[in-house]
């Protein structure tokens, strides 16, 4: 088959099996046409040209990423591009994006300065130019204090950190054009204590004197990839003796073997080959090929410079050519690695998710297989089975030191009986993990005091975790937390002083993976649960706003952002714990989540405006206001909800600001909207906050981020689609002065109350719901939002009725249903159905986000939260609620059919 036909077939295959690629093709029809007519190289050139023509750096980077994501995927699927070419192009894109972001970040702060003195070191797959299709990047940022451009009276480290934050924001922040790369800065030395950018001399000193063995292995694949390349190269040259030691370093080799064993133990579920197998971490998978190469490079690379190559395939070839590994081993590992990485790309092409595991769902597995050109999931399993077994066997042969990892001393034998009696199904795995804590191999437990504190709380922890539905999993999640701590002594002393927290911690680790993940990032969240009021309902928006506004005297804007994130995340964490502990009705908790979010919007928007006004002043007789839509508009968020926002400004769009750097009103408010979105979404040292979605604004992603109130009204009256008016049914002002909010509310009410063609309205609603079902089906039987008879069907019923009959408008869905039922416009029983599904949604997003049935013990928690005596009773009520909603929605569908 020639390339033209292969590309056409690849585009067709992508459309059928990869929603993300289908969306990219729809957004970039010129690239799809170029692929069909001119081929991959021409399409790639066009993608870069489109990005080069865009003056806004953030948008240009996202345009190029979107374009290359489509072109490289189609070239890969068509067989026109090989694996090495694909990963090289992806890595080069990361280099270009980082470089352009650095130039932009420096130019924004010091416009006339040369962009020098700031470098990015690429590590991992980025460093080896082997990035996968939906990869994050793990850079280390360094700077030269003497050369870095900075403002007057600004310390070099302050300038470097601000440049680094801006670079991360330009790459990572999501907007209507998506994102460029996720950025993980945790590979730098002591990330919990050091700034995100390090002075070059301090970094060299650390690696020469204090670095751990695994950090040596990380630098096997390091390179200077962006910014001041000479500076990055100077650093890598300086630490080369640390990475490549002439004597054999079996300590580093043992460290890599230990990492591999811990991965196998920690990700035990993904080790089993078959559906759900983890291609990256599973036995015989990607990581073990990479570790095999790196172990041999560490052994021999100190003396044999030809082995110091970063890419895994190059390393295997060099080791084979040098006779350090057998040629047949090289061939097996190389071919297996190409296969694994190619299938990994297929997994990620489907939805642009950084996933490495084969789907457990049969239909999803079939879909990935067909994207790869196979008949079904069984064929994909067969394709991988042989290589996985062979690679696993080859890697196992390295681990022949005879060490008995289960050897125990002292009272560990008693602990084993305690674990079994407490309910741990795999007591030996639990013992291995606890023994690792006891022997000091974990950084947080290296001191005698920390290990003594561990022993004091261990019996209570064992009891608490043993009563959970997944004791070993809970223990693994506790290990995640301990691994991230510089010292665990305070955690264990806290648990020792407050024994009730051990039970609470056990519940969190056992029942709520979302909370466990949050706790793993910030263990200090547990401190907030000491306060007896932590499990009380969230206070009013005004009280929350006052709480969030309190910062230390003299705190700057960035410190204020950190403070708000810390307090908001503590509040959200405590609200989630209320559900786990049965201390709050999920509907009330949802209201609490929404109040916390609205308070955060008000505090952060006000701070962003004040910061912005220092440079650009104010626009006379004008102000920014914000509309909340969706679950935020309805005042009922979940733990995982993003914020649907529309930015609207009052006054004339022709006005100009009065500051030292004046801007026209449109440019002023669009830049300000970007600043507010960043304040709400960009991660800081205190973690992330909210995802912000602005696609519901007039003209969607193609329209300006902020619009005038007049423009908003005109668009809604003259150009808006039916679905946009349905979205307005759950809209309300969440930020602005009283007068601005009143004007917005009146405008929304007038728009919703306008007469409509009922037949067209019904037809549009039915068509939209069908389209949504095709493109975004339910992810499982407990996707209560998207499943047939779920919340989306209910929302369509409500909003269609509201718009058709021009009555019952209220952004709170339950209140609207009550009003429509009382008016005889909706059947009785839908309020109860809504409340059940709302409770299920809020609870399941926290305890079982996969949309599958939760674990057996967790089912009792879900039933209790939804006010039912048993899981079986909940299932019956769930079925009845869905039936009532489906019947109501079918009534709307039948009306449409009657009209036609």
């Amino acid at each position: 088959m020639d390339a033209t036909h292969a590309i056409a077939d690849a585009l067709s295959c992508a459309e059928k099996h990869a929603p993300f690629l289908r969306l990219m093709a729809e957004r970039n029809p010129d690239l799809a046409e170029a692929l069909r007519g001119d081929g991959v190289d021409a399409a790639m050139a066009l993608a870069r040209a489109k990005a080069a023509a865009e003056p806004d750096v953030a948008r240009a980077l996202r345009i190029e990423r979107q374009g290359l994501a489509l072109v490289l995927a189609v070239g890969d699927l068509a067989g026109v591009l090989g694996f090495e070419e694909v990963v090289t192009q992806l890595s080069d894109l990361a280099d270009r994006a980082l470089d352009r972001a650095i130039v932009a970040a420096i130019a924004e702060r010091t416009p006339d300065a040369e962009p020098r003195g700031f470098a990015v070191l690429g590590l991992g797959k980025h460093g080896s130019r082997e990035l996968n299709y939906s990869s994050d990047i793990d850079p280390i940022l360094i700077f030269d204090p003497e050369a870095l451009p900075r403002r007057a009276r600004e310390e070099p480290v302050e300038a470097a950190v601000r440049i680094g934050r801006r670079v991360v924001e330009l790459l990572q922040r999501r907007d209507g054009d998506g994102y460029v790369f996720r950025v993980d800065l945790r590979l730098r030395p002591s990330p919990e204590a050091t700034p995100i950018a390090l002075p070059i001399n301090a970094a060299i000193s650390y690696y020469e004197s204090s670095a751990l063995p695994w950090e040596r292995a990380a630098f096997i694949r390091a390179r200077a990839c962006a910014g001041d390349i000479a500076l990055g190269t100077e650093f890598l040259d300086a630490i080369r003796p640390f990475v490549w030691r002439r004597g054999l370093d079996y300590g580093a080799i043992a460290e890599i073997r230990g990492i591999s064993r811990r991965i196998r133990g920690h990700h035990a579920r993904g080790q089993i080959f078959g559906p759900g197998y983890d291609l990256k971490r599973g036995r015989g998978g990607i990581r073990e090929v990479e570790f095999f190469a790196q172990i041999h490079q560490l052994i021999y690379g100190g003396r044999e410079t030809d082995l110091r190559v970063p890419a895994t395939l190059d390393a295997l070839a060099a080791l084979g050519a040098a006779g350090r590994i057998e040629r047949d081993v090289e061939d097996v590992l190389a071919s297996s690695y190409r296969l694994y990485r190619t299938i990994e790309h297929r997994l990620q092409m489907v939805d642009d998710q950084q996933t490495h595991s084969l789907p457990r769902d049969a239909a999803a597995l079939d879909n990935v297989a067909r994207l790869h050109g196979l008949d079904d999931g069984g064929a994909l399993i067969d394709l991988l089975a042989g290589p996985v077994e062979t690679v696993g066997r080859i890697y196992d042969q390295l681990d022949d030191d005879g060490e008995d990892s289960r050897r125990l001393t002292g009272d560990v034998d008693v602990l084993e009986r305690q674990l079994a009696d407490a309910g741990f199904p795999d007591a030996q795995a639990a013992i291995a993990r606890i023994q690792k804590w006891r022997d000091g191999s974990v950084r947080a437990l290296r001191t005698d005091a920390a290990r003594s504190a561990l022993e004091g709380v261990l019996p209570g922890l064992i009891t608490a975790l043993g009563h959970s539905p997944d004791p070993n999993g809970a223990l693994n999640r506790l290990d995640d937390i301990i691994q991230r701590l510089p010292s665990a002594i305070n955690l264990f002393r806290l648990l020792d002083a407050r024994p009730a927290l051990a039970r609470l911690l056990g519940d969190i680790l056992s029942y709520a993976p979302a909370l466990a993940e949050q706790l793993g990032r910030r263990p200090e969240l547990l401190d907030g649960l000491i306060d007896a009021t932590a499990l009380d309902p969230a206070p009013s928006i005004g009280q929350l706003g006052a709480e969030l506004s309190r910062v230390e005297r003299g705190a700057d804007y960035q410190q204020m952002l950190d403070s708000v994130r810390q307090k908001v995340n503590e509040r959200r964490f405590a609200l989630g714990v209320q559900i786990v502990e049965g201390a709050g009705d999920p509907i009330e908790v949802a209201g609490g989540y929404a109040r916390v979010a609205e308070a955060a919007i008000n505090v952060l928007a006000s701070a962003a405006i004040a910061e912005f006004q220092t440079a650009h002043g104010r626009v006379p007789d004008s102000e920014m206001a914000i509309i909340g839509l969706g679950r935020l508009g309805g005042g009922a968020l979940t733990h995982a909800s993003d914020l649907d926002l529309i930015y609207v400004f009052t006054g004339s769009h022709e006005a100009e600001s009065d500051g030292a750097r004046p801007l026209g009103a449109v440019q002023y408010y669009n830049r300000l909207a970007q600043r507010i979105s960043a304040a709400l979404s960009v991660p800081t040292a205190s973690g992330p906050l909210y995802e912000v979605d602005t696609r519901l604004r007039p003209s969607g992603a193609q329209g300006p981020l902020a619009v005038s109130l007049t423009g908003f009204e005109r668009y809604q009256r003259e150009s808006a689609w039916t679905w946009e008016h349905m979205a307005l049914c759950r809209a309300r002002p969440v930020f602005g002065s009283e007068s601005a909010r009143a004007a917005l509310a009146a405008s929304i009410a007038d728009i919703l109350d306008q007469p409509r063609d009922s037949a067209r309205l019904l037809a549009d609603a039915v068509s939209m719901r069908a389209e949504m079902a095709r493109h975004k089906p339910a992810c499982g039987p407990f996707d209560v939002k998207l499943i047939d008879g779920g919340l989306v069907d209910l929302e369509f019923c409500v909003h269609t009725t509201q718009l058709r009959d021009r009555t019952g408008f209220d952004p709170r869905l339950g209140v609207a249903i009550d009003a429509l039922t009382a008016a005889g416009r909706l059947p009785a029983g839908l309020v109860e159905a809504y409340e059940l599904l709302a409770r299920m949604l809020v609870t399941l997003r926290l305890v079982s986000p996969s949309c599958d049935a939760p674990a057996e013990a967790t089912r009792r928690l879900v039933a209790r939260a939804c006010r039912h005596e048993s899981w079986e009773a909940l299932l019956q009520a769930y079925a009845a609620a869905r039936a009532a909603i489906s019947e109501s929605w079918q009534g709307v569908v039948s009306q449409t059919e009657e009209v036609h």
Side-chain angles (χ1 to χ4, degrees):
M1 183 185 297
D2 63 27
T4 301
H5 286 94
I7 287 172
D9 288 348
L11 279 165
S12 176
C13 181
E15 182 177 358
K16 293 176 183 175
H17 302 295
F20 171 70
L21 297 181
R22 180 171 63 245
L23 177 62
M24 291 302 97
E26 291 170 353
R27 288 186 175 180
N28 299 275
D30 52 344
L31 293 181
E33 188 60 32
L35 281 166
R36 291 189 182 94
D38 303 313
V40 169
D41 290 342
M44 204 175 301
L46 176 59
R48 290 174 181 157
K50 288 173 63 177
E54 170 57 52
D56 182 84
V57 173
R59 188 156 194 270
L61 295 176
R62 283 154 179 77
I63 287 172
E64 183 173 8
R65 194 264 173 174
Q66 282 191 9
L68 289 186
L70 174 64
V71 174
L72 292 175
V74 171
D76 184 358
L77 293 170
V80 175
L81 298 178
F83 163 72
E84 288 91 336
E85 174 69 10
V86 171
V87 297
T88 298
Q89 290 287 350
L90 290 168
S91 303
D92 290 351
L93 171 63
D95 292 356
R96 291 194 300 274
L98 281 162
D99 208 58
R100 191 166 179 186
I102 291 169
V103 170
I106 291 176
E108 288 172 359
R109 308 183 76 258
T110 50
D112 299 325
E114 180 184 351
R116 63 193 185 97
F118 190 94
V120 176
L121 307 173
L123 276 75
K125 288 185 172 65
H126 181 205
S128 60
R129 298 181 80 199
E130 297 174 303
L131 278 180
N132 57 42
Y133 190 78
S134 184
S135 183
D136 58 5
I137 54 176
D138 304 276
I140 289 179
L141 312 180
I142 61 170
F143 68 94
D144 180 353
E146 301 300 321
L148 184 72
R150 61 185 191 273
R151 294 172 176 171
R153 297 186 297 277
E154 186 177 43
E155 291 297 320
V157 69
E158 294 174 352
V161 166
R162 287 168 180 156
I163 291 168
R165 284 174 175 163
R166 179 59 173 151
V167 169
V168 172
E169 178 186 1
L170 285 169
L171 267 60
Q172 183 168 271
R173 179 173 58 83
R174 291 178 181 268
D175 59 21
D177 296 312
Y179 68 102
V180 190
F181 285 98
R182 295 173 291 267
V183 182
D184 187 343
L185 298 175
R186 290 176 297 174
L187 287 185
R188 71 185 187 276
S190 304
E192 72 285 345
T194 56
I196 63 171
L198 304 172
I200 181 172
N201 289 334
I204 291 171
S205 175
Y206 171 83
Y207 286 107
E208 287 179 340
S209 62
S210 306
L212 298 171
W214 69 264
E215 292 175 295
R216 282 190 59 206
F219 273 91
I220 290 176
R221 299 199 287 180
R223 64 186 174 90
C225 64
D228 191 334
I229 298 296
L231 177 66
T233 303
E234 176 188 346
F235 170 80
L236 292 176
D237 288 344
I239 69 166
R240 184 176 292 116
F242 154 72
V243 180
W244 302 108
R245 298 180 180 175
R246 294 182 62 80
L248 299 185
D249 186 352
Y250 287 105
I253 296 163
E255 174 73 11
I256 294 180
R257 289 178 180 173
I259 291 171
S260 179
R261 284 194 292 268
R262 291 194 291 274
I263 288 172
R264 284 186 175 184
H266 190 73
H267 300 276
R269 194 180 184 201
Q271 301 293 319
I272 301 170
F273 183 71
Y277 172 72
D278 191 330
L279 272 172
K280 179 178 180 179
R281 304 178 186 89
R283 177 185 179 273
I286 292 169
R287 188 64 62 83
E288 294 193 353
V289 176
E290 293 170 347
F291 280 0
F292 183 93
Q294 289 168 26
I295 285 172
H296 286 84
Q297 286 178 287
L298 284 174
I299 293 173
Y300 304 110
R303 293 179 178 272
E304 301 177 35
T305 58
D306 288 346
L307 303 182
R308 300 176 186 177
V309 291
T312 301
L313 292 174
D314 292 344
L316 291 171
L319 290 164
R324 294 304 183 183
I325 63 175
E326 299 294 332
R327 283 291 192 178
D328 59 342
V329 170
E330 174 201 337
D331 292 342
V332 166
L333 294 180
S335 62
S336 299
Y337 191 71
R338 286 191 182 91
L339 174 63
Y340 297 161
R341 294 293 308 281
T342 299
I343 301 302
E344 181 184 47
H345 284 180
R346 302 292 181 263
L347 292 168
Q348 296 175 355
M349 287 174 185
V350 174
D351 285 313
D352 193 29
Q353 296 294 315
Q354 190 187 13
T355 182
H356 315 283
S357 297
L358 300 180
R360 294 183 180 278
D361 177 74
L365 185 63
D366 287 345
N367 182 68
V368 173
R370 288 166 186 149
L371 184 61
H372 189 59
L374 301 174
D375 290 338
D376 55 28
L380 178 58
I381 296 296
D382 291 343
L383 178 66
L384 291 167
V388 167
E389 178 56 31
T390 304
V391 171
R393 187 169 61 251
I394 291 171
Y395 191 80
D396 287 343
Q397 292 169 3
L398 291 176
D399 204 8
D400 61 355
D401 55 16
E403 179 184 350
D404 182 2
S405 63
R406 296 175 296 176
R407 185 171 59 247
L408 305 172
T409 60
D411 64 347
V412 174
D413 294 330
V414 176
L415 174 62
E416 180 177 5
R417 290 194 299 273
Q418 288 177 322
L419 288 165
D421 292 341
F424 282 78
D426 188 349
Q428 288 294 330
I431 287 172
R433 193 162 300 284
I434 293 170
Q435 182 67 9
K436 182 184 66 174
W437 298 343
R438 283 176 157 171
D439 65 20
S441 60
V442 177
R443 178 186 58 176
L445 289 161
R446 285 178 180 169
T447 66
D448 290 339
R451 290 194 295 274
S452 175
L454 166 68
E455 295 301 335
V457 301
L458 203 49
L461 279 174
I462 290 170
T463 300
L465 300 184
H467 285 92
S468 72
D470 181 12
N472 286 95
L475 193 67
N476 288 346
R477 286 188 281 274
L478 177 59
D479 185 57
D480 284 339
I481 295 172
I482 294 172
Q483 293 282 359
R484 294 175 180 177
L485 291 172
S487 173
I489 189 168
N490 288 334
L491 172 64
F492 292 136
R493 285 177 175 172
L494 173 65
L495 294 173
D496 189 38
R498 305 274 182 164
L501 281 182
R503 182 194 59 76
L504 203 57
L505 176 62
D507 288 347
I508 292 167
L509 296 176
S510 303
Y511 292 110
L515 296 181
E517 170 63 22
Q518 197 176 354
L519 197 57
R521 292 194 302 268
R522 288 191 59 215
E524 63 271 20
L525 288 170
L526 201 61
D527 296 359
L529 301 180
I530 296 174
D531 189 339
T533 66
L535 300 185
D536 291 344
S540 68
I541 294 170
Q543 290 172 300
L544 287 166
E547 174 185 316
L548 298 182
S549 297
R550 287 194 291 271
V551 295
E552 292 183 9
R553 181 176 299 175
D556 63 16
Y557 180 68
Q558 291 297 327
Q559 290 169 325
M560 190 277 302
L561 295 185
D562 279 338
S563 173
V564 171
R565 277 156 174 73
Q566 179 182 348
K567 293 172 183 175
V568 167
N569 286 327
E570 287 173 354
R571 281 286 182 184
R572 294 165 75 190
F573 183 81
L575 285 165
V577 173
Q578 288 184 24
I579 294 177
V580 172
E581 294 303 296
D585 181 344
I587 290 178
E588 174 52 37
V589 170
Y593 283 135
R595 292 195 294 278
V596 170
E598 190 167 345
I601 290 170
N602 278 271
V603 171
L604 292 175
S606 297
I609 289 171
E611 178 82 356
F612 195 77
Q613 287 174 348
T614 60
H616 302 291
R618 302 169 181 264
V619 178
D621 301 317
S622 178
E623 67 171 287
M624 173 70 87
I626 303 175
I627 300 172
L629 301 96
R631 298 194 65 81
L632 174 64
L637 295 179
T638 71
H639 178 82
S641 290
D642 57 11
L643 305 181
D644 293 306
L645 305 178
I646 295 177
Y647 295 101
V648 178
F649 62 90
T650 63
S652 172
H653 70 278
E654 297 178 347
E656 184 174 86
S657 69
D658 57 11
R661 289 187 283 166
L663 296 171
V666 173
Q667 187 179 21
Y668 180 97
Y669 283 112
N670 272 275
R671 287 193 184 178
L672 178 55
Q674 291 175 338
R675 188 73 62 89
I676 294 171
S677 290
L680 288 166
S681 61
V682 173
T684 72
S686 294
L689 199 58
Y690 294 102
E691 292 285 339
V692 174
D693 190 339
T694 59
R695 291 173 295 175
L696 291 175
R697 67 187 186 269
S699 300
Q702 305 305 313
L705 193 57
V707 296
S708 69
L709 177 56
T710 302
F712 172 80
E713 292 172 334
R714 183 186 307 114
Y715 175 87
Q716 294 293 343
R717 293 185 187 282
E718 300 174 3
S719 305
W721 296 80
T722 298
W723 65 264
E724 292 177 286
H725 285 175
M726 293 176 73
L728 277 189
C729 292
R730 300 188 74 189
R732 64 184 176 90
V734 294
F735 176 79
S737 67
E738 286 188 17
S739 61
R741 291 182 186 229
L744 272 177
S747 176
I748 292 168
D750 287 343
I751 291 163
L752 294 177
D753 193 47
Q754 66 188 28
R756 287 175 174 78
D757 181 335
S758 294
R760 180 182 174 186
L761 169 67
L762 294 172
D764 285 351
V766 171
S767 174
M768 285 185 291
R769 183 63 186 104
E771 186 74 8
M772 181 183 291
R774 281 193 297 273
H775 291 289
K776 196 174 181 181
C779 66
F782 291 91
D783 185 348
V784 300
K785 181 178 177 180
L786 293 172
I787 200 167
D788 290 343
L791 283 168
V792 168
D793 281 349
L794 180 57
E795 290 166 5
F796 268 74
C797 288
V798 172
H799 301 329
T800 303
T801 304
Q802 289 171 318
L803 293 174
R804 181 193 64 196
D805 297 343
R806 299 163 64 186
T807 189
F809 292 111
D810 194 295
R812 297 165 296 176
L813 199 60
V815 175
I817 295 170
D818 261 336
L820 292 170
T821 303
R825 309 303 171 92
L826 286 179
L830 289 185
V831 169
E832 292 77 11
Y834 161 72
E835 290 179 347
L836 175 68
L837 295 191
R839 289 187 175 100
M840 291 182 70
L841 177 72
V842 176
T843 305
L844 290 171
R845 286 289 168 88
L846 196 67
V847 303
S848 184
S850 69
C851 303
D852 294 324
E856 189 69 31
T858 305
R859 294 176 184 182
R860 293 192 294 272
L861 183 153
V862 177
R864 179 196 68 200
C866 296
R867 299 186 171 182
H868 284 275
E869 291 295 324
S870 66
W871 177 251
E872 291 71 23
L874 175 60
L875 292 182
Q876 291 177 7
Y878 180 38
R882 288 179 57 199
I885 294 169
S886 292
E887 182 179 358
S888 183
W889 175 239
Q890 287 306 312
V892 174
V893 174
S894 63
Q895 291 176 40
T896 306
E897 293 169 350
E898 290 170 7
V899 169
H900 291 282

